[in-house]
């Protein structure tokens, strides 16, 4: 027998699943008349659906008429196959619903440099709360330069990035979550360390070696605006700390990061009333496509933990 073009075997769709369910109900009911109540449709409509299914399969599935209803040999085999297919569809839907309920997968998050010492940051608490809500989601956490974070979020390589708010991209959504205070510091071996702020001027600061973040950031913008002479560049605050501790450079650091060095007596802020700015950090996601359920849950957790 030649198989009909566009047959069900070659292309199974929702309409075909519906026909198979009707066929299965007719068999289980014992005929078209008995199936009317079960399916809540008329006998003629049921008969048409069976004819459509037979046409799609190019097989005679059952005998139906005054003598009653009876499966053909082919019909019995199709019924067995339909039971298996419909059972698999049901199992698939149940598994997907369970996945949606449990939240399974990986969330990729990156942030810029030092935030663990910032008292305004509740990232650790956010991760803890998220893990309780979605224990089967793997967290991939990394530290990367801000421009790399933006590029990877836009490209879909990262789900969430945490970066300083600066010249926002139209491709990203920005949600402010915390901030930090930035001051200029010098190391113990720097010429400014023993001089009082009263004996220093902005002109003095502009003449000394300044180290700054090389990527597009508030650090770069503020340094340029103040006219500081950058003679060293870095991509992280950890590297910047090393340059400042060398005693040959000054640079902006967040006060929470510099505090431990201040307590050791190895660096101090200079002209804090003049050389200061505050940075707001945002959690960013790409605008299109919309964030998935896992990303949305983590964003909600971040916002909640940083609003308490």
């Amino acid at each position: 027998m030649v198989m009909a073009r566009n047959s069900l075997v070659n292309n199974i769709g929702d309409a075909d699943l519906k026909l198979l369910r009707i066929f299965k109900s007719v068999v289980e009911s014992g005929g078209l008349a008995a199936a009317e109540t079960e399916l809540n449709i008329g006998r003629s409509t049921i008969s048409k659906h069976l004819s459509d299914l037979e046409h799609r399969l190019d097989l005679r599935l059952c005998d139906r008429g005054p003598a009653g209803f009876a499966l053909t040999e082919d019909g019995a085999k199709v019924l067995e196959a339909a039971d298996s297919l419909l059972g698999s569809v049901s199992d698939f839907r149940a598994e997907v619903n369970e996945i949606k309920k449990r939240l399974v997968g990986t969330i990729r998050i990156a942030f810029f440099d030092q935030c663990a010492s910032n008292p305004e940051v509740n990232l650790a608490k956010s991760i803890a709360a998220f893990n309780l809500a979605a224990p089967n989601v793997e967290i991939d956490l990394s530290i990367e330069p801000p421009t790399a974070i933006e590029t990877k979020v836009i490209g879909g390589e990262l789900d969430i990035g945490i970066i300083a708010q600066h010249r926002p991209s139209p491709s990203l959504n920005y949600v402010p979550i915390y901030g930090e205070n930035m001051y200029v510091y010098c190391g113990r071996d720097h010429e400014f360390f023993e001089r009082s702020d009263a004996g220093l001027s902005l002109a003095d600061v502009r003449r000394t070696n300044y180290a700054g973040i090389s990527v597009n950031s508030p650090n770069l913008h503020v340094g340029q605006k103040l006219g500081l002479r950058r003679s060293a560049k870095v991509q992280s605050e950890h590297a910047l700390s090393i340059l400042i501790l060398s005693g040959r450079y000054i640079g902006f650091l967040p006060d929470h990061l510099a505090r431990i060095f201040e307590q050791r007596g190895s660096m101090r802020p200079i002209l804090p009333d003049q050389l200061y700015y505050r940075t707001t950090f945002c959690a960013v996601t790409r605008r299109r496509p919309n964030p998935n359920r896992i990303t949305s849950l983590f964003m909600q957790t971040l916002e909640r933990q940083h609003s308490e």
Side-chain angles (χ1 to χ4, degrees):
M1 182 176 290
V2 179
M3 190 68 68
R5 293 184 65 184
N6 297 321
S7 70
L8 182 152
V9 174
N10 295 323
N11 185 20
I12 299 175
D14 289 341
D16 302 310
L17 294 176
K18 177 182 177 181
L19 293 177
L20 288 170
R21 290 190 182 96
I22 291 172
F23 170 59
K24 187 173 183 293
S25 293
V26 170
V27 174
E28 290 174 347
S29 299
L32 278 67
E36 284 184 291
T37 303
E38 176 68 20
L39 295 171
N40 196 29
I41 53 178
R43 192 182 312 180
S44 61
T45 302
I46 295 174
S47 181
K48 182 180 184 306
H49 286 321
L50 290 178
S51 296
D52 289 343
L53 181 59
E54 289 175 328
H55 176 73
R56 290 281 283 153
L57 290 171
D58 201 23
L59 291 170
R60 179 74 176 170
L61 300 178
C62 57
D63 295 319
R64 48 195 185 273
F69 176 88
L71 279 178
T72 63
E73 184 177 347
D74 288 336
K77 292 177 180 178
V78 169
L79 178 64
E80 183 178 352
D83 282 336
S84 177
L85 173 61
L86 295 173
S88 296
V89 170
S90 178
D91 290 342
F92 172 79
R93 286 175 175 165
E95 289 177 15
V96 169
N97 286 333
E98 183 63 16
I99 289 170
K100 288 170 68 176
K101 179 181 177 182
R102 284 172 27 225
L103 292 174
V104 176
T106 300
I107 185 164
R108 301 155 302 174
I109 306 164
F111 59 93
F112 173 60
D113 227 341
Q114 309 291 334
C115 72
S117 57
N118 188 343
E120 297 185 34
V121 177
N122 287 324
L123 182 57
K125 289 183 178 180
S126 299
I127 290 172
F130 177 81
N131 180 252
L132 287 173
N136 295 301
V137 175
E138 180 183 61
I139 295 178
D140 183 344
L141 189 64
S142 60
I143 299 176
E144 302 192 36
T147 50
I149 291 174
E150 285 185 316
T151 299
K152 289 184 177 182
V153 172
I154 292 171
E157 296 175 65
L158 288 171
D159 299 300
I160 297 174
I162 300 176
I163 57 175
Q165 187 174 18
H166 179 65
R167 296 179 184 173
S169 166
S171 300
L172 296 172
N173 289 313
Y174 293 77
V175 177
I177 50 176
Y178 64 84
E180 67 181 6
N181 300 312
M182 306 291 293
Y183 296 93
V184 171
Y185 291 85
C186 68
R188 180 169 50 206
D189 295 327
H190 195 276
E191 61 174 310
F192 291 166
F193 193 80
E194 298 296 339
R195 291 171 61 177
S196 68
D197 286 335
L200 284 173
S201 68
L202 189 54
D204 294 325
V205 172
R206 287 174 176 150
R207 283 193 292 267
T208 196
N209 292 331
Y210 169 74
I213 303 293
S214 61
V215 297
N216 188 3
S217 64
N219 180 284
L220 179 63
H221 176 72
V222 172
Q224 291 173 341
K225 186 176 180 180
L226 289 170
L228 303 180
R229 182 170 58 87
R230 192 177 73 181
S231 51
K233 58 184 180 180
V234 297
Q235 291 194 28
S236 74
E237 290 171 344
H238 180 74
L240 186 54
S241 300
I242 300 298
L243 288 176
I244 294 171
L245 290 169
S246 76
R248 303 299 300 169
Y249 301 89
I250 63 170
F252 279 102
L253 285 179
D255 57 357
H256 59 86
L257 174 59
R259 189 169 296 117
I260 187 171
F261 299 115
E262 287 188 81
Q263 292 170 348
R264 293 173 181 172
S266 54
M267 78 171 56
R268 79 168 185 88
I270 55 177
L271 299 178
D273 293 335
Q274 298 181 57
L275 303 176
Y276 161 83
Y277 69 92
R278 181 169 172 80
T279 299
T280 298
F281 280 79
C282 296
V284 299
T285 56
R286 58 179 175 170
R287 290 185 181 274
R288 295 287 183 275
N290 292 328
N292 60 29
R293 293 175 66 251
I294 293 173
T295 301
S296 296
L297 176 61
F298 198 95
M299 287 293 292
Q300 291 165 11
T301 305
L302 271 178
E303 291 184 72
R304 183 170 61 252
Q305 291 295 325
H306 287 88
S307 64
E308 294 178 351

